[in-house]
Amino acid sequence: MAPVKVFGMARSGNVARVLVCLEEVGVEYEVVNMDFAAGEHKGPEHLARNPFGQIPAFQDGELILFESRAISRHVLRKYKTGDVDLLREDNLEDSAAVDIWLEVEVHQYKPAVYPIVYQHLIVPMRGGTPDQKLIAECIEKTKKVLEVYESRLSKFKYLAGDFFSLADLSHFPITYYFMRTPYASVLDSYPSVKAWWEDLMSRPAVQRVVFQLPKGTDEL
Ligand code: GS8
């Protein structure tokens, strides 16, 4: 069977989210890079995959998808195994907890953490100067969010409960880049969050995606 295709560069956090799900379930995949400089993502072929002209897009046989979290759910739903069930859809309580913490990632965690990553890693690459005031504000926002995570993770091993799920995995890309900024030490004040992050990073599937990510900011 032809491998599934992921359109977009692995270094994009939203693409990496999909890759790590594919790695978890052990599905063979092909990454189809897009030439952003040439505007390939805004061309008709890619707009047919994602009408917003963004990456990732995804092809699984006849099925074409976009939005990284929707793609991730599809991958984990279709290819779940007895050992790897990261959505827990057979259990109402567990799957609702997964949904909650996925929403928390989108609506609480990412808005606090992403601007720090963007200002520190991306803005200088584009010749700009990071907005230190915004970074400081977002560090404070991040701390508030991490207090909630610390409380949760001091009671449960993972965000949705004592089982690993997409809710944890979905935090990987943005946290990976955050941990490459000088603000990574913020996590030291939240021991349960730090242990959770180290556990996440030690997963073979995560390591296989880390291997595909740029090591220096010049490659971002
Ligand atoms: C966001 C995709 C996105 O912002 C998802 O898939 O989760 N909610 C969507 N993609 C960016 C790349 S950064 O990861 C992108 O394609 N930007 C180009 C553009 O918007 O023109």
Side-chain angles (χ1 to χ4, degrees):
M1 198 178 81
V4 301
K5 286 185 184 172
V6 181
F7 297 86
M9 298 73 81
R11 66 174 183 268
S12 149
N14 294 311
V15 175
R17 174 174 297 106
V18 171
L19 300 186
V20 84
C21 291
L22 288 162
E23 290 286 354
E24 285 284 352
V25 289
V27 169
E28 198 189 331
Y29 59 89
E30 181 189 343
V31 176
V32 183
N33 282 317
M34 301 252 94
D35 188 346
F36 260 40
E40 198 182 351
H41 56 311
K42 302 296 178 195
E45 244 181 280
H46 190 68
L47 286 173
R49 298 180 196 113
N50 179 347
F52 296 100
Q54 292 188 322
I55 57 165
F58 179 82
Q59 184 176 357
D60 185 358
E62 299 288 299
L63 189 63
I64 309 278
L65 303 174
F66 62 96
E67 280 296 337
S68 64
R69 291 168 187 83
I71 301 168
S72 298
R73 280 187 170 98
H74 164 77
V75 165
L76 297 176
R77 192 175 290 135
K78 177 168 175 185
Y79 298 103
K80 83 167 181 174
T81 67
D83 291 338
V84 189
D85 177 5
L86 304 189
L87 297 176
R88 298 260 180 159
E89 289 183 331
D90 297 337
N91 181 311
L92 281 175
E93 201 179 315
D94 288 355
S95 57
V98 173
D99 286 347
I100 289 174
W101 289 93
L102 273 169
E103 295 293 325
V104 170
E105 184 257 323
V106 179
H107 299 295
Q108 307 288 347
Y109 190 83
K110 188 178 171 201
V113 176
Y114 181 72
I116 303 168
V117 170
Y118 185 82
Q119 290 297 321
H120 189 79
L121 298 177
I122 314 281
V123 167
M125 264 169 27
R126 297 189 176 159
T129 308
D131 180 340
Q132 294 300 342
K133 185 169 170 281
L134 179 62
I135 291 179
E137 279 167 17
C138 287
I139 292 287
E140 288 316 303
K141 241 170 130 173
T142 298
K143 286 180 180 168
K144 287 209 162 61
V145 173
L146 290 179
E147 275 168 31
V148 177
Y149 277 53
E150 181 63 21
S151 162
R152 178 78 184 164
L153 292 167
S154 62
K155 295 187 198 86
F156 299 97
K157 184 150 195 253
Y158 297 107
L159 288 170
D162 285 321
F163 58 92
F164 185 75
S165 75
L166 176 60
D168 306 293
L169 209 48
S170 199
H171 287 73
F172 151 68
I174 189 70
T175 312
Y176 173 78
Y177 287 116
F178 176 74
M179 294 307 278
R180 292 175 56 210
T181 74
Y183 313 102
S185 58
V186 165
L187 244 65
D188 295 343
S189 308
Y190 306 92
S192 305
V193 178
K194 187 91 189 267
W196 164 81
W197 172 244
E198 283 166 2
D199 180 272
L200 191 55
M201 280 300 279
S202 73
R203 294 181 74 82
V206 171
Q207 280 304 310
R208 286 194 290 273
V209 175
V210 166
F211 185 73
Q212 301 178 52
L213 300 180
K215 304 292 169 270
T217 45
D218 50 326
E219 301 162 75
L220 262 175

